[in-house]
């Protein structure tokens, strides 16, 4: 599936690699903030009060 | 493929070979990949919570310690009149009438200073009787002003609407239990009578002693009607996560430490109540309260 998605990207190989890196970076950043929100909301809010 | 398996394959009913089998295989493949992806995401979450947040908090600690020393050198100390029962008397600003100060035999002066802006370091908390998270050393942690999520990414913070440590009233410090360096990870091990030090680089070290729930109720009978569950072993008290009453101001000078409870959950709060017993302001506050 990953191979198919990669091949579906437009442009030559170099452009597709660059696009892949950008997409991965964006996804990892989104995942980081999702983890932050998840942890701060449900796991350990820091002891403050609602 | 061997002849035997080929025979078995051709022995399958045509409906299975043509329609059902490919669908089943696809479902198995999708389920497998989904399980692997979800598993990796969960592992990533655990790694993030345990190590990534602590890495950022530890890195912040190093900067906060330096910043704290620099700020202390430029902070102006003031002497404020203190009247028991009324707390610190300010100069009656904002167009309000100046407060009445009870005659000198029942009042005194305490050292104070303006709190730093939110997010900046305030002081260092030390609890010699418990260890820091995954450490053989006793707990020592520099905390900031503020308890919003962004402030608590450095581990612990002082609740802005409460007095600074060492002043009359109830100073509240909240800290993480399992993430962001987990400074209050072992707070449940604090015993009644354990000393808690607040190293304030501006006016000195304030010394508090942990009190039991019964001591707290004896000092503030109103607390008896509150829903609280004292720990069997230790000075800690477990309350609901919305129990804002633990931050209410008290007569005398108290320190309230709050953190999440149980570990790896934010369902409840673990509270340590401690009373001021020593430090630059203790003599005045204790003699007048």
């Amino acid at each position: 599936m990953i191979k198919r998605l990669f091949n579906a990207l437009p442009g030559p190989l170099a452009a597709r690699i660059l696009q892949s890196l950008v997409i991965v970076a964006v996804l990892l950043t989104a995942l980081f903030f999702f983890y932050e929100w998840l942890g701060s909301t449900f796991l350990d809010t820091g002891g403050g009060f609602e | 493929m061997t002849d035997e398996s080929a025979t078995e394959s051709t022995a399958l009913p045509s409906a299975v070979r043509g329609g059902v089998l490919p669908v089943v295989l696809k479902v198995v493949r999708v389920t497998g990949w989904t399980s692997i992806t979800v598993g990796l995401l969960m592992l990533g979450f655990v790694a993030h919570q345990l190590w990534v947040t602590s890495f950022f908090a530890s890195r912040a600690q190093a900067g906060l310690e330096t910043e704290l020393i620099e700020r202390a050198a430029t902070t102006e100390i003031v002497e404020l009149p203190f009247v028991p029962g009324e707390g610190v008397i300010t100069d009656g600003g904002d167009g309000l009438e100046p407060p009445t100060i009870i005659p000198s035999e029942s009042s005194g002066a305490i050292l104070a200073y303006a709190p730093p802006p939110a997010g900046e370091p305030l002081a260092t908390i030390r609890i010699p009787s418990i260890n820091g998270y995954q450490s053989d050393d006793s707990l020592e942690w520099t905390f900031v002003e503020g308890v919003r999520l962004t402030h608590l990414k450095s581990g612990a913070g002082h609740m802005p609407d409460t007095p600074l440590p060492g002043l009359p009233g109830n100073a509240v410090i909240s800290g993480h239990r399992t993430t962001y360096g987990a400074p209050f990870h072992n707070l449940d091990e604090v015993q009644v009578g354990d000393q808690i030090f607040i190293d304030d680089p501006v006016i000195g070290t304030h010394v508090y002693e942990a009190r039991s729930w019964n001591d707290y109720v004896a000092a503030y009978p109103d607390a008896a009607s509150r829903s609280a569950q004292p720990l069997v072993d230790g000075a800690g008290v477990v309350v609901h996560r919305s129990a804002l009453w633990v931050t209410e101001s008290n007569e005398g000078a108290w320190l309230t430490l709050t953190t999440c409870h149980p570990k790896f959950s934010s369902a409840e709060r673990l509270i340590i109540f401690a009373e001021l017993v020593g430090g630059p302001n203790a003599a005045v506050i204790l003699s007048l309260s």
Side-chain angles (χ1 to χ4, degrees):
Chain A
M1 190 180 75
I2 292 172
K3 210 171 184 178
R4 274 210 308 274
L5 288 172
F6 178 78
N7 289 332
L9 292 171
L13 182 64
R16 276 185 285 163
I17 291 174
L18 192 64
Q19 289 174 70
S20 309
L21 290 176
V22 170
I23 291 169
V24 168
V26 168
L27 287 178
L28 283 178
T29 306
L31 194 62
F32 175 83
F33 284 108
F34 175 66
Y35 282 166
E36 292 266 302
W37 171 80
L38 203 61
S40 299
T41 307
F42 298 106
L43 194 66
D44 183 355
T45 60
F49 291 91
E50 293 173 349
Chain B
M1 188 180 284
T2 64
D3 290 344
E4 193 179 339
S5 62
T7 308
E8 276 179 12
S9 176
T10 52
L12 288 168
S14 60
V16 173
R17 276 186 281 119
V20 179
L21 192 59
V23 173
V24 171
L25 287 175
K26 193 171 183 182
V27 168
V28 169
R29 191 184 304 122
V30 170
T31 307
W33 278 112
T34 306
S35 302
I36 290 169
T37 307
V38 170
L40 287 174
L41 286 172
M42 289 172 74
L43 276 177
F45 178 64
V46 171
H48 174 270
Q49 292 298 298
L50 290 182
W51 298 304
V52 177
T53 60
S54 290
F55 167 76
F56 284 121
S58 300
R59 208 174 61 168
Q61 276 295 296
L64 288 176
E65 287 166 13
T66 312
E67 204 181 324
L68 186 60
I69 294 166
E70 289 171 358
R71 191 181 58 78
T74 58
T75 302
E76 187 184 349
I77 302 173
V78 293
E79 282 194 0
L80 294 176
F82 168 64
V83 180
E86 296 184 33
V88 177
I89 304 302
T90 58
D91 60 3
D94 301 321
L96 300 173
E97 288 295 314
T100 305
I101 297 177
I102 295 171
S104 58
E105 61 269 17
S106 60
S107 65
I110 56 171
L111 302 176
Y113 59 93
E120 290 196 7
L122 178 61
T124 301
I125 182 170
R126 276 189 297 123
I127 308 181
S129 60
I130 63 172
N131 285 349
Y133 179 49
Q134 292 183 335
S135 168
D136 293 331
D137 298 326
S138 60
L139 173 64
E140 188 168 338
W141 197 269
T142 299
F143 58 93
V144 299
E145 176 70 1
V147 290
R148 298 180 80 94
L149 288 179
T150 50
H151 306 140
L152 290 175
K153 284 184 177 179
S154 62
H158 166 255
M159 195 174 281
D161 293 335
T162 64
L164 294 181
L167 295 184
N170 184 19
V172 180
I173 299 172
S174 301
H176 280 286
R177 188 91 189 269
T178 52
T179 59
Y180 293 100
F184 288 172
H185 189 80
N186 297 320
L187 210 60
D188 55 327
E189 295 173 9
V190 173
Q191 302 293 320
V192 175
D194 282 357
Q195 291 197 316
I196 300 169
F197 299 88
I198 303 292
D199 293 328
D200 182 336
V202 180
I203 55 176
T205 296
H206 310 289
V207 188
Y208 290 85
E209 260 181 24
R211 297 289 185 242
S212 69
W213 173 243
N214 288 338
D215 292 337
Y216 187 77
V217 170
Y220 308 105
D222 286 353
S225 62
R226 307 290 192 176
S227 177
Q229 182 64 48
L231 293 181
V232 176
D233 181 24
V237 178
V238 177
V239 299
H240 190 263
R241 63 182 174 185
S242 62
L244 205 57
W245 58 267
V246 302
T247 69
E248 287 172 3
S249 187
N250 297 330
E251 281 185 34
W254 287 75
L255 176 70
T256 299
L257 306 180
T258 77
T259 192
C260 289
H261 186 82
K263 287 172 183 169
F264 302 105
S265 166
S266 63
E268 295 172 310
R269 298 288 179 266
L270 175 66
I271 311 295
I272 297 289
F273 296 110
E275 196 171 11
L276 187 71
V277 294
N281 290 331
V284 173
I285 295 171
L286 294 175
S287 65
L288 298 178
S289 296

